[in-house]
């Protein structure tokens, strides 16, 4: 009997493996032999992150309307810190012989090597979301166009808006993203610049790695140590939610202002209720689309690629009330 | 004679806690000196309200490690349970009681799935729970549609202050720790579990239902994970598809700091709880000291290893 269940288990496992494999295969869009449509691979960070999920959704919608122009393969890594996983994904896409790769790099330096390989194979590479490190690109003599928002300018918008609510000399704290990521660094710079320009004081600036629970722990500690704190500026919305919970628990709700970045639905709600002061929308749903359009342009014209900037907008209670149609 | 062995044994039990308590005292002392407000009642409350999830998970993890197994899936299972809670409470608008029961049931069901594969099909727990780590996370993304749900007032009241800054979650967690401690030290289940961890073959030959014990261990861990899902969501008043990332390693670290053997057969729930407090104190203190990320990680890693080494020295000296 025991042996029977054991065998049964193994059979079930094998069946599961086959089913999974078949499932993966089925996801690929069938390509007609001799078809001229360019194959474009979109490589995201974590598809678990709402921001990237929206981005992928935008790309899918765009593809649904323009299916005759290109084929789309969307990929993501399980978590944002899995740099090696993303390198492997790029390698797989090279092996599949795609015509263009649109990538939101998990790390601004570590991905350059494999993207260099892709470029050498004649694949058009377009960088979105998190900008590749300029110095590393120059060292390798590589030009990869960046299509995306200016994270520093976006963060500055949030800090400047906060400054209108506070006074010079007020103490604020910053919650940073993953320290090694370029967009985290840019947002931190933008927040710092805005805070300093208004004469406010940065009590502490710490990384919470984009994560809600981590931000909650760090913010709790900060609130306890810096009793005169007036605001917490967060480099993304997940961290703003974590900080919001920490502020509520400390009994200082309403006394500490919070700013976010990304404009996820949950935070937009809190901006409406006034619990979070503002967030920044960089139109995530369109970012990948901008990248795809750009790649199609390059493929068609074989022109010299240049960076292209996409819009960033401040989201406040006022902006939400004046434009109820959005979100 | 008998009385004196008993005293020396109870002395030994207390000496058991000494190394850990010392490590904790050193940490508290250090942070009290380097930061302004670490050593304060407010901070004590903050830390107390931060640890319920880890306490509950660590209790389950202690059982698992004592049985000689491991559970890598607690973080993902917690995220999935919380996701079910979030969807039922948020968009579906069901009452809290129903959503909370569904959350517990999800945890229990996932734990039971682990348990059945491990106990009855004999697949190593490392493999089964590694699979569950991935699968439950994937299911979480599906259930939440990868979106963070803000629940606000629908769940906030669970974690609201009751008296002296203490909230229900910490009381619930302490009850869980107490029950788990009694189950391990004063019941047939506990003795059977220790015997199973020490020598499975001997345990089987002496008539202990090893399969059943092992099944219970993983299923109960699932149930505790479901409970942790409620506590976690209440604390953050939101449900996040990335909830519990790395929770399994933090729980294992706390349990191992508490002296529970990774190879099974030995462990203590109370000591695991102290391990949880130690890690929480470290996290809170480093944040208050304004330490940067690299320093935080270095220090956390070193403290985990140092605490275990300290513990081993003390054991060998005995």
């Amino acid at each position: 009997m025991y042996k029977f269940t054991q065998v049964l288990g193994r059979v079930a496992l094998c069946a599961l493996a086959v089913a999974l494999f078949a499932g993966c295969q089925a996801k690929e869009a069938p390509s007609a032999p001799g078809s001229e449509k360019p194959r474009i691979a979109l490589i995201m960070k974590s598809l678990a992150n709402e921001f990237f999920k929206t981005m992928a959704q935008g790309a899918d919608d765009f593809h649904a309307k323009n299916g005759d122009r290109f084929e789309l393969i969307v990929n993501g890594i399980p978590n944002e810190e899995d740099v090696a996983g993303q390198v492997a994904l790029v390698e797989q896409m090279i092996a599949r012989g795609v015509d263009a790769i649109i990538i939101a790099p998990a790390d601004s330096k570590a991905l350059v090597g494999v993207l260099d390989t892709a470029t050498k194979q004649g694949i058009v590479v377009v960088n979105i979301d998190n900008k590749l490190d300029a110095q590393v690109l120059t060292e390798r003599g590589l030009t990869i166009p960046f299509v995306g928002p200016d994270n520093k300018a976006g963060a500055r918008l949030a800090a400047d808006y906060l400054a209108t609510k506070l006074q010079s000399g007020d103490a604020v704290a910053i919650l940073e993203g993953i320290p090694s990521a370029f967009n985290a660094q840019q947002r931190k710079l933008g927040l710092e610049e805005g805070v300093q320009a208004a004469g406010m004081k940065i009590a502490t600036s710490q990384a919470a790695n984009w994560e809600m629970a981590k931000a909650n722990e760090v913010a709790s500690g900060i609130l306890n140590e810096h009793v005169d704190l007036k605001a917490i500026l967060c480099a993304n919305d997940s961290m703003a939610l974590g900080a919001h919970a920490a502020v509520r628990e400390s009994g200082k709700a309403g006394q500490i202002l919070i700013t976010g970045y990304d404009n996820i639905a949950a935070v937009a709600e809190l901006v409406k209720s006034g619990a979070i002061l503002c967030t920044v929308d960089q139109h995530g749903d369109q970012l990948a689309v901008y990248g795809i359009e750009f790649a199609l342009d390059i493929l068609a014209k074989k022109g010299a690629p240049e960076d292209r900037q996409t819009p960033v907008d401040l989201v406040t209670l006022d902006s939400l009330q004046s434009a109820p149609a959005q979100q | 004679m008998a009385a004196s062995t008993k005293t020396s044994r109870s002395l030994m039990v207390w000496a058991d806690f000494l190394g850990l308590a010392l490590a904790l005292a050193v940490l508290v002392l250090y942070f009290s000196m380097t930061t302004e407000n670490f050593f304060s009642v407010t901070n004590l409350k903050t830390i107390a309200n931060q640890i319920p999830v880890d306490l509950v998970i660590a209790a389950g993890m202690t059982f698992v490690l004592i049985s000689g197994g491991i559970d890598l899936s607690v973080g993902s299972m917690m995220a999935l349970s919380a996701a079910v809670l979030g969807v039922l409470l948020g968009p579906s608008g069901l009452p809290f009681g129903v959503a909370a029961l569904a959350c517990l049931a999800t945890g229990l069901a996932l734990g039971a799935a682990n348990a059945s594969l491990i106990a009855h099909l004999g697949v190593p727990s490392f493999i089964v729970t590694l699979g569950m780590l991935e699968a439950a996370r994937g299911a979480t993304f599906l259930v939440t549609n990868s979106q963070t749900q803000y629940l606000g007032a629908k769940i906030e009241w669970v974690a609201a202050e009751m008296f002296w800054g203490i909230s229900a979650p910490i009381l619930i967690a302490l009850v869980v720790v107490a029950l788990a401690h009694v189950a391990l030290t004063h019941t047939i289940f506990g003795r059977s579990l220790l015997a199973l961890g020490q020598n499975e073959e001997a345990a089987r030959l002496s008539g202990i239902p090893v399969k059943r014990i092992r099944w219970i261990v993983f299923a109960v861990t699932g149930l505790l994970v479901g409970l942790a899902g409620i506590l976690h969501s209440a604390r953050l008043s939101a449900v996040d598809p990335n909830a519990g990332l790395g929770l399994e390693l933090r729980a294992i670290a706390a349990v191992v700091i508490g002296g529970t053997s990774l190879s099974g057969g030995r462990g203590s729930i109370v000591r695991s709880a102290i391990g949880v407090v130690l890690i929480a104190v470290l996290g809170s203190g480093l944040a208050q000291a304004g330490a940067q990320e690299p320093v935080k990680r270095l220090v956390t890693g070193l403290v985990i290893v140092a605490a275990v080494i300290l513990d081993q020295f003390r054991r060998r000296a005995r």
Side-chain angles (χ1 to χ4, degrees):
Chain A
M1 184 58 199
Y2 182 65
K3 271 202 176 140
F4 173 71
T5 48
Q6 231 176 9
V7 168
L8 198 71
R10 280 191 193 145
V11 169
L13 271 179
C14 290
L16 187 68
V18 169
L20 280 175
F21 186 68
C24 293
Q25 295 295 307
K27 258 193 95 175
E28 288 177 18
S31 113
S35 105
E36 294 290 310
K37 280 196 287 185
R39 305 214 294 176
I40 294 183
L42 177 59
I43 300 179
M44 312 292 272
K45 284 198 260 180
S46 167
L47 287 180
N49 183 326
E50 186 177 346
F51 181 66
F52 293 106
K53 170 107 175 177
T54 321
M55 206 189 285
Q57 189 63 48
D60 276 337
D61 291 347
F62 180 71
H63 179 244
K65 287 184 200 129
N66 298 278
D68 51 328
R69 287 171 65 197
F70 63 97
E71 276 178 42
L72 184 66
I73 306 155
V74 181
N75 285 293
I77 45 175
N79 75 64
E80 305 218 348
E81 293 176 72
D82 189 6
V83 175
Q86 206 182 31
V87 169
L89 265 180
V90 176
E91 282 164 350
Q92 284 163 25
M93 290 303 114
I94 297 174
R96 281 189 59 176
V98 296
D99 298 294
I101 292 176
I102 323 285
I103 185 164
D107 185 284
S108 45
K109 291 179 184 165
L111 267 296
V112 172
V114 72
L115 292 174
D116 193 4
T117 315
T119 313
K120 290 215 171 80
Q121 308 233 343
I123 298 172
V124 171
V125 177
V126 176
N127 172 201
I128 55 170
D129 176 57
N130 176 24
K131 197 171 181 197
L132 292 165
D133 190 86
Q135 203 182 340
V136 177
L137 286 177
T138 321
E139 267 172 32
R140 284 186 172 253
L142 199 63
T143 33
I144 293 178
F146 177 71
V147 176
D150 184 338
N151 280 276
K152 191 169 145 194
R156 179 75 197 258
L157 289 177
D160 286 348
Y161 184 67
L162 175 70
T164 65
K165 306 284 174 192
L166 293 180
Q167 284 162 2
S168 165
D170 282 348
V172 302
I174 295 177
L175 291 187
E176 309 158 20
I178 292 172
S180 56
F182 183 73
N183 58 345
Q185 294 160 3
Q186 288 295 301
R187 289 180 192 183
K188 182 187 173 193
L189 279 178
L191 293 174
E192 280 174 353
E193 271 186 16
V195 167
Q196 280 155 1
M200 296 183 286
K201 191 174 88 222
I202 299 174
T204 178
S205 177
Q206 294 181 41
N209 300 343
W210 308 127
E211 286 171 28
M212 195 192 294
K214 176 90 178 157
N216 183 262
E217 179 195 303
V218 174
S220 293
I222 291 175
L223 285 169
N224 189 50
E225 179 69 4
H226 302 281
V227 284
D228 56 344
L229 202 73
K230 293 281 190 287
I232 303 175
L233 297 100
C234 307
N236 85 345
D237 278 350
S238 290
M239 296 193 292
L241 284 172
H244 171 247
V247 167
R248 176 172 51 78
E249 193 186 83
S250 74
K252 292 179 181 166
Q255 299 165 42
I256 307 237
L257 299 175
I258 298 167
T259 75
Y261 198 115
D262 284 344
N263 192 29
I264 67 172
V267 164
E269 250 175 73
L270 287 175
V271 171
K272 264 183 219 161
S273 74
I276 288 180
L277 180 67
C278 65
T279 180
V280 176
D281 193 349
Q282 47 183 24
H283 307 282
D285 57 333
Q286 291 307 308
L287 282 186
V289 175
Y290 297 140
I292 293 169
E293 281 181 324
F294 195 65
L296 288 171
D297 270 6
I298 300 175
L299 284 171
K301 294 181 197 142
K302 312 271 175 213
E306 266 177 28
D307 290 3
R308 188 181 286 180
Q309 215 161 79
T310 59
V312 279
D313 296 308
L314 186 69
V315 177
T316 63
L317 181 57
D318 291 341
S319 78
L320 284 174
Q321 278 170 347
S322 63
Q326 279 188 3
Q327 279 295 316
Chain B
M1 179 68 192
S4 88
T5 23
K6 200 168 183 191
T7 354
S8 75
R9 194 182 294 156
S10 79
L11 265 180
M12 236 145 71
V13 170
W14 282 110
D16 235 30
F17 290 96
L18 216 60
L20 266 181
L22 195 71
L24 193 57
V26 168
L27 274 184
V28 170
L29 193 68
Y30 175 76
F31 287 127
S32 302
M33 289 191 319
T34 51
T35 68
E36 269 176 51
N37 300 320
F38 182 84
F39 201 72
S40 63
V41 181
T42 326
N43 194 38
L44 191 68
K45 288 177 195 165
T46 310
I47 292 176
N49 288 329
Q50 251 168 16
I51 54 175
V53 167
D54 289 39
L55 281 180
V56 167
I57 299 279
M61 192 64 85
T62 308
F63 284 149
V64 169
L65 290 194
I66 290 175
S67 81
I70 196 158
D71 192 335
L72 299 173
S73 62
V74 289
S76 296
M77 292 196 300
M78 185 185 82
L80 182 52
S81 310
V84 169
L85 176 80
V87 166
L88 293 184
L89 204 53
S92 307
L94 290 173
F96 176 79
V98 178
L101 272 181
C103 179
L104 290 174
T106 306
L108 180 60
L110 294 170
N114 276 343
S116 300
L117 288 171
I118 293 161
H120 297 300
L121 283 185
V123 188
S125 59
F126 188 95
I127 307 293
V128 171
T129 60
L130 186 66
M132 183 59 90
L133 164 86
E134 282 295 310
R137 183 65 66 185
T140 307
F141 296 155
L142 284 179
V143 171
T144 57
N145 197 19
S146 301
Q147 291 200 352
T148 299
Q149 282 272 345
Y150 181 73
L151 297 171
K154 285 175 183 162
I155 198 165
E156 252 167 43
W157 59 273
V158 176
E161 183 176 327
M162 287 167 56
F163 51 88
W164 309 328
I166 299 296
S167 62
I170 183 68
L171 296 180
I172 295 171
L174 288 178
V175 169
V176 167
V177 167
L179 287 177
H181 177 73
V182 171
L184 183 63
T185 52
H186 288 87
T187 64
I188 296 173
F189 164 76
R191 256 170 286 152
S192 310
L193 175 59
L194 287 164
L196 158 66
Q198 276 154 11
N199 188 337
E200 185 177 348
E201 204 48 43
R204 197 198 318 274
L205 293 175
S206 55
I208 292 171
V210 285
K211 276 188 191 174
R212 195 189 308 157
I213 297 286
R214 189 164 273 148
W215 193 91
I216 292 173
V217 163
F218 281 92
V220 163
T221 301
L223 184 63
L224 291 175
V225 160
L227 177 61
I230 301 175
L231 302 182
H232 182 84
S233 311
R235 173 167 174 70
L236 294 171
S237 58
V239 166
D240 157 22
N242 289 316
L245 269 185
L247 176 62
E248 58 284 343
L249 295 182
R250 208 166 64 233
I252 292 170
V255 172
V256 171
I257 284 178
T260 295
S261 165
L262 271 175
S263 46
R266 174 164 63 80
S268 145
I269 300 280
V270 177
R271 289 170 55 92
S272 294
I274 300 178
V276 167
V277 174
L278 202 116
I279 289 181
V281 162
L282 194 59
S284 169
L286 286 170
Q288 292 190 43
Q292 290 305 300
E293 189 67 8
V295 178
K296 282 182 188 170
R297 293 203 165 187
L298 270 170
V299 171
T300 309
L302 291 177
V303 168
I304 291 172
V305 175
V308 173
I309 290 176
L310 196 83
D311 192 58
Q312 282 189 346
F313 268 125
R314 192 189 44 70
R315 259 169 222 285
R316 257 178 241 152
R318 204 163 69 187

